Amino acid sequence: MSVTRTGEPSTDTEPDPRRWWGLVIIALAQLMVVLDATIVNIALPSAQQDLGMSDANRQWVITAYTLAFGGLLLLGGRVADLLGRKRTFVFGLIGFAAASALGGAAVSPGMLFGARALQGVFAAVLAPSALSLLTTTFTDPKERGKAFGIYGALAGSGAALGFIVGGLLTEYLDWRWCLYVNVPIAIVAVLGAFALLHDRPGHAGARLDVPGVLLGCGGLVAIVYGFSEAQPRGWSDPVVLGLLMGGVALLAVFVWWQTKARVPLLPLHIIRDRNRGGCFLTMGLAVIGMFGLFLFMTYYLQVILGYSPVRTGLAFLPLTLAIITGSTQISARLMNRVAPRMLMVPGMLLASGGMVILTQITVHSSYTTEILPALLLMGLGMGLTFMPVFATATAGVAPYDAGVTSATVNTSQQVGGSIGTSLLNTIATTSSTAYIAAHLTGPGTAAHKAQIAAVGTVHGYTVAIWWAAGIMLLAGLVAGVMVTAKPPGHDVPARAPVPEPAT
């Protein structure tokens, strides 16, 4: 028996001939997880009316999922290391399907919020298992590039694809089917996992860092809740300031605890690596802008422009196709030839440029000339960025850290989505309220008031989109400065992996 560059045992046998079918199962599960972050977006106006949600609380349909997902992903990674990746993969699929069925049957906003949070919990178990299985299944550099190209395309386009599926289900069935649809998908994935996926036993040295979970997740919840409360209370409100400062303090204690814990939830040597740390930060910043935009564009197309749910979903199709093109046809082909940042920096510049175009939207904008070009630029930019982020962040990881490293990539994505939805929604709502208050000063007709309200709403969207464009530029700067890895074919030999900790 020999040992690979990443420290994974090798039996010197031929690769599993069914590994590409296994990739289909892994990709199906990942698609379900990512898609569910946005599939309910288009259904949100219908669900809001059906269940009587307020405008201030509706964002929790999105953030309850992404926050539970992001906050518990590191724990999910450690569970995968402890129990085995295939076992946790199947467990996550079954739990995700059950939570989806509960959400589809929701009879109150609280029940829906709770089901969405439960979905996030099981997604936090499922996602790192999927990425770990992918990492250990495809070790040949050429095959790895193709596999990560497919995975990156799904990670980037799955969120946008959710709009199309959500539109079709909402218009022709009911918004509840945006949740019920996960049940048959999960059944197929479970059967495929038993038949096609293989895994080594879990690592006995892996332990669950419960204090780390409480500190990390508590800090993230406090920050996101603080952002959401800033809209009704104001940024200077003591409750808002207390939540934000308390969240930062909890995260600071979390980092300190990780230096003391016997088996830390997030081994700091993973994020101290310059390239991995840069990838994590780039992903988080990029998704802040992307997820915030999804929420705005859904309401802009349906409420302002009067699109049907299906037409709204189809309006996002060019974005999906552009992400797939950028990931599989550009990034996957160039990954072994150019440095990762040579893809990530242009990608973020393109995405930010698309955002800037969207800041020009009005209540009468044309989709073809004003919205479509922006979506295409954003899609290409995201496709260029996601694939090298996933591949670079997980390259050369010791086997006992595979689960937690994979989880950290997904954590940056989901935490970015939570913060982006909450923060940018607050910025948009606050800006809209201020605009309407300033322009609706005297008596007027109902039509005049409705026009001012619509213009004010769009104004709030454009202000938030400017912020998103700036955040994406910051992501490009981070990638350019921090991600210094060379192309895989030109890298120096990898360091020997850190010895596995003694049990």
Side-chain angles (χ1 to χ4, degrees):
M1 179 181 291
S2 61
V3 177
T4 67
R5 290 178 59 189
T6 62
E8 189 78 38
S10 171
T11 57
D12 297 321
T13 59
E14 290 296 320
D16 184 352
R18 299 185 298 174
R19 62 192 178 282
W20 290 104
W21 284 109
L23 174 62
V24 172
I25 299 303
I26 295 171
L28 185 64
Q30 176 66 15
L31 177 62
M32 182 178 68
V33 167
V34 176
L35 181 146
D36 234 70
T38 57
I39 191 172
V40 299
N41 271 54
I42 289 182
L44 197 48
S46 300
Q48 181 178 359
Q49 183 178 8
D50 191 14
L51 299 180
M53 279 181 254
S54 67
D55 287 346
N57 288 335
R58 69 189 181 194
Q59 54 120 350
W60 284 104
V61 176
I62 310 301
T63 53
Y65 176 77
T66 55
L67 187 56
F69 191 179
L72 295 174
L73 263 167
L74 293 173
L75 177 63
R78 276 305 181 206
V79 170
D81 290 335
L82 177 64
L83 300 180
R85 297 150 195 161
K86 178 178 176 179
R87 185 179 300 175
T88 53
F89 182 79
V90 172
F91 174 74
L93 283 169
I94 295 172
F96 195 89
S100 299
L102 179 65
V107 295
S108 68
M111 184 175 176
L112 180 58
F113 299 158
R116 290 286 287 167
L118 195 59
Q119 279 186 305
V121 171
F122 286 105
V125 175
L126 177 59
S129 303
L131 187 53
S132 296
L133 285 168
L134 178 66
T135 302
T136 55
T137 299
F138 295 92
T139 55
D140 178 81
K142 292 183 178 179
E143 289 193 348
R144 183 182 174 87
K146 293 178 182 178
F148 271 95
I150 295 170
Y151 188 89
L154 288 171
S157 64
L161 187 61
F163 290 107
I164 300 172
V165 177
L168 291 169
L169 293 173
T170 300
E171 185 155 337
Y172 294 112
L173 292 174
D174 183 76
W175 68 266
R176 298 177 184 276
W177 277 96
C178 293
L179 295 163
Y180 287 143
V181 70
N182 291 318
V183 176
I185 295 176
I187 290 173
V188 172
V190 167
L191 295 176
F194 281 121
L196 298 168
L197 298 181
H198 304 284
D199 188 27
R200 296 174 180 84
H203 296 282
R207 294 290 185 270
L208 300 183
D209 178 15
V210 176
V213 173
L214 296 176
L215 289 168
C217 191
L220 293 172
V221 169
I223 290 173
V224 172
Y225 190 55
F227 284 145
S228 68
E229 286 295 299
Q231 189 275 320
R233 295 175 178 269
W235 289 100
S236 60
D237 184 85
V239 173
V240 173
L241 294 176
L243 285 167
L244 295 177
M245 290 188 293
V248 171
L250 284 173
L251 293 180
V253 176
F254 168 79
V255 173
W256 169 82
W257 172 252
Q258 296 310 285
T259 66
K260 305 297 182 181
R262 179 169 176 260
V263 182
L265 183 66
L266 176 60
L268 295 185
H269 68 264
I270 290 176
I271 58 175
R272 276 198 295 260
D273 180 275
R274 179 171 182 159
N275 291 300
R276 289 195 190 98
C279 286
F280 299 151
L281 190 53
T282 298
M283 173 64 84
L285 291 170
V287 175
I288 284 177
M290 186 174 75
F291 271 55
L293 175 77
F294 286 162
L295 182 65
F296 304 143
M297 290 304 296
T298 298
Y299 276 87
Y300 174 73
L301 292 171
Q302 290 194 64
V303 178
I304 303 298
L305 297 187
Y307 283 24
S308 69
V310 169
R311 189 180 179 191
T312 301
L314 292 175
F316 283 98
L317 182 58
L319 174 67
T320 305
L321 296 177
I323 291 174
I324 294 173
T325 300
S327 184
T328 62
Q329 301 305 310
I330 302 177
S331 280
R333 294 174 184 270
L334 295 179
M335 189 184 74
N336 292 324
R337 302 179 183 179
V338 302
R341 64 179 172 181
M342 297 304 294
L343 297 170
M344 295 161 65
V345 173
M348 286 295 91
L349 291 175
L350 284 174
S352 181
M355 289 283 193
V356 170
I357 292 175
L358 280 179
T359 61
Q360 306 306 306
I361 59 175
T362 68
V363 293
H364 302 296
S365 288
S366 165
Y367 176 83
T368 304
T369 59
E370 298 175 67
I371 300 173
L372 178 59
L375 295 180
L376 291 174
L377 283 177
M378 286 180 54
L380 285 173
M382 288 295 180
L384 283 172
T385 303
F386 280 137
M387 191 266 188
V389 163
F390 280 117
T392 305
T394 57
V397 179
Y400 63 88
D401 278 334
V404 72
T405 304
S406 303
T408 307
V409 183
N410 283 288
T411 296
S412 62
Q413 185 177 12
Q414 298 305 321
V415 169
S418 299
I419 293 175
T421 301
S422 181
L423 173 62
L424 296 180
N425 182 64
T426 295
I427 291 173
T429 307
T430 303
S431 300
S432 296
T433 302
Y435 182 95
I436 294 170
H439 290 78
L440 201 61
T441 55
T445 65
H448 174 71
K449 293 180 180 179
Q451 178 67 15
I452 292 296
V455 172
T457 299
V458 174
H459 171 76
Y461 294 164
T462 58
V463 171
I465 291 171
W466 272 115
W467 278 85
I471 292 170
M472 285 189 166
L473 281 180
L474 179 60
L477 178 63
V478 168
V481 172
M482 294 186 65
V483 184
T484 58
K486 297 178 181 179
H490 299 81
D491 251 338
V492 295
R495 300 188 306 269
V498 180
E500 194 159 339
T503 60

